[in-house]
Structures are given as structure tokens and as C-alpha cells.
């Protein structure tokens, strides 16, 4: 089920539907042509791309970091051209939902972004994140250059060596390839639709699972977004 429709259903059950417009209507009115990026960035800035399930939920923890200039929800890790939310969410492409981060490396390091990434995902479950299942919701680190690739592999290796988990870490590390920005109605969803976002995230069990995995480190040491 489309996440927007799922969130509306939860809200209806909780008697909040009176405050909401139909999600499908919002989607049709707000759709825009996706923007394709090959990974270039403004001078002096860098990019990082992470897959952690629902891209709505991966923007907030990075937006809170000093040095992060922007976060963009989108699609990466697939070979098919012109991915859309309809095709990706239905599993008709090999893409994953991702968040692409533009950051100032003099203020926040790639290693710090990796730290936040890990503590916002379940790295033990293949092809699923919380209530969202399928390869499109796998966890992955998509590196933009050889330095990021090495750092990502080292970060995953350190987490394995730490022995925190008694299950294997299944998060993949790969080159980013082509990134396609998601439709405009997905961008900054948690800010523009805070009630829907809150009940989607809570109903999906994301924070409960993150706390079980990471304890006080869940979210990267930052408080979960409040609305």
C-alpha cells in the first residue's frame, strides 16, 4: 500500500482523518518530473547517498547535522531509466529508496554521516526496513568515490568487529551510479505533513526497533524528531 494512503488509514482509525486531505489527491496535484543527478556537487561541497528504507524517515536525522546543506529523497542502485515512486515502490525496478545529502566536509565528516546512517537503520534484515518490505527497502551505502567506498567498507567492518549483534550485517556497499530525485511531494515530507509522518513512523515501528538495536545511540545520539 502506498505509504501516504497507509498513513491516512492509521489516522482515520485514530479519528484524525477529519484534518487530512486524501493522500492520492495530494500526490496527483504535486507530482513533478524527477531530476537526474550523476553525483556532481557545488564547489566545496560533497555528496553522500544512503538507503535506509522509507526515504521520508531518512531525511530528519541528517537535516539536524551542522554542515549538512540539503537532503533529497530519491532512487539509486538500479539500472532501469527514469524510476518513479510508482515503479520503485511496487518493486518493478532494482532501485532502492535513498536520501542524498549535500554536506560541507569542513563542518561534518563522511565518517560522522556514516555513524548517523547506521544508527537510523536495521542492518540485520535483508530486503526490509521495519514495515516496508522488498529490495527497494534494502539498506545500502552508495559511495561517490574511492575514498567514500573505503570509508564505508571500513565502517561496516568496524561494526562487525565490535560484536554488537549476533546476526550478520546485510547492508551493502556499492558505487552510487545514477541518482534520481523523487517526486516533489516526497521532499521534506516530515516537515510538510507532520501528522501523517508521525503516525506512519510510529505505526511502522521504526523507533521501537532502532531503540532495541542501538539503545541510547538510536538516531545517531540525537533525539527523534518531535511533532
Amino acid at each position: 500500500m502506498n505509504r501516504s494512503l497507509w498513513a491516512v488509514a492509521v489516522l482515520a482509525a485514530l479519528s484524525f482523518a477529519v484534518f487530512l486531505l486524501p493522500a492520492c489527491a495530494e500526490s496527483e496535484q504535486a507530482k513533478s518530473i524527477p531530476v537526474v543527478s550523476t553525483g556532481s556537487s557545488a564547489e566545496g561541497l560533497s555528496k553522500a547517498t544512503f538507503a535506509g528504507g522509507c526515504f521520508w524517515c531518512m531525511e530528519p536525522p541528517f537535516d539536524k547535522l551542522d554542515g549538512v546543506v540539503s537532503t533529497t529523497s530519491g532512487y539509486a542502485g538500479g539500472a532501469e531509466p527514469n524510476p518513479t515512486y510508482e515503479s520503485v515502490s511496487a518493486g518493478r525496478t532494482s532501485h532502492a529508496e535513498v536520501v542524498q545529502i549535500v554536506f560541507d566536509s569542513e563542518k561534518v565528516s563522511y565518517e560522522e554521516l556514516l555513524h548517523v546512517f547506521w544508527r537510523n537503520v536495521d542492518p540485520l534484515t535483508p530486503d526490509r526496513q521495519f514495515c516496508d518490505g522488498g529490495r527497494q527497502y534494502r539498506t545500502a551505502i552508495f559511495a561517490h568515490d574511492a575514498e567514500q567506498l573505503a570509508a564505508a567498507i571500513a565502517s561496516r567492518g568496524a561494526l562487525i568487529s565490535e560484536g554488537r549483534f549476533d546476526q550478520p550485517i546485510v547492508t551493502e556497499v556499492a558505487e552510487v551510479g545514477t541518482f534520481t530525485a523523487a517526486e516533489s511531494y516526497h521532499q521534506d515530507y516530515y516537515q510538510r505533513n507532520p501528522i501523517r509522518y508521525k503516525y506512519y513512523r510510529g505505526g511502522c515501528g521504526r523507533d521501537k526497533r532502532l531503540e532495541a538495536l542501538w539503545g541510547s545511540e538510536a538516531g545517531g545520539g540525537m533525539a527523534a524528531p518531535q511533532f
Side-chain angles (χ1 to χ4, degrees):
M1 180 184 290
N2 180 288
R3 279 200 302 273
S4 294
L5 295 178
W6 186 94
V8 171
V10 172
L11 282 164
L14 293 170
S15 301
F16 283 103
V18 68
F19 300 107
L20 302 176
L21 292 171
C24 57
E26 174 201 38
S27 298
E28 290 302 318
Q29 293 169 1
K31 281 183 180 179
S32 65
I33 299 173
V35 177
V36 178
S37 167
T38 57
S40 61
S41 183
E43 186 176 354
L45 299 177
S46 301
K47 286 185 177 180
T49 302
F50 302 122
C54 166
F55 45 29
W56 297 347
C57 299
M58 291 300 287
E59 288 188 11
F62 294 104
D63 280 340
K64 288 176 174 288
L65 297 179
D66 182 34
V68 167
V69 176
S70 67
T71 56
T72 302
S73 290
Y75 316 108
E80 300 81 0
N82 305 316
T84 65
Y85 182 66
E86 182 180 5
S87 62
V88 174
S89 64
R92 297 199 299 268
T93 78
S94 52
H95 294 82
E97 287 194 14
V98 302
V99 61
Q100 186 164 99
I101 302 150
V102 175
F103 66 102
D104 182 345
S105 58
E106 293 188 359
K107 294 182 178 179
V108 60
S109 69
Y110 185 66
E111 287 74 16
E112 289 175 295
L113 298 182
L114 287 169
H115 176 88
V116 172
F117 163 75
W118 287 117
R119 284 147 186 84
N120 279 278
V121 301
D122 173 359
L124 309 180
T125 305
D127 298 339
R128 171 173 286 276
Q129 283 294 281
F130 317 104
C131 66
D132 295 315
R135 280 287 288 164
Q136 64 271 39
Y137 298 112
R138 66 192 183 271
T139 58
I141 301 169
F142 292 113
H144 285 258
D145 55 36
E147 186 176 351
Q148 285 192 1
L149 188 67
I153 292 171
S155 177
R156 185 177 59 183
L159 195 58
I160 293 170
S161 299
E162 185 181 313
R164 177 190 293 264
F165 306 119
D166 57 7
Q167 295 174 251
I169 290 173
V170 298
T171 300
E172 67 180 71
V173 177
E175 295 180 0
V176 67
T178 299
F179 166 81
T180 302
E183 296 80 354
S184 61
Y185 64 94
H186 287 300
Q187 307 302 333
D188 302 317
Y189 190 90
Y190 75 101
Q191 294 176 329
R192 296 186 298 103
N193 300 277
I195 298 175
R196 291 185 187 183
Y197 175 76
K198 177 180 179 179
Y199 284 101
Y200 164 74
R201 186 179 179 112
C204 207
R206 191 178 189 105
D207 293 319
K208 184 176 180 180
R209 176 60 173 163
L210 290 177
E211 185 176 357
L213 287 167
W214 301 102
S216 62
E217 294 182 73
M222 298 173 294
Q226 301 296 317
F227 299 99

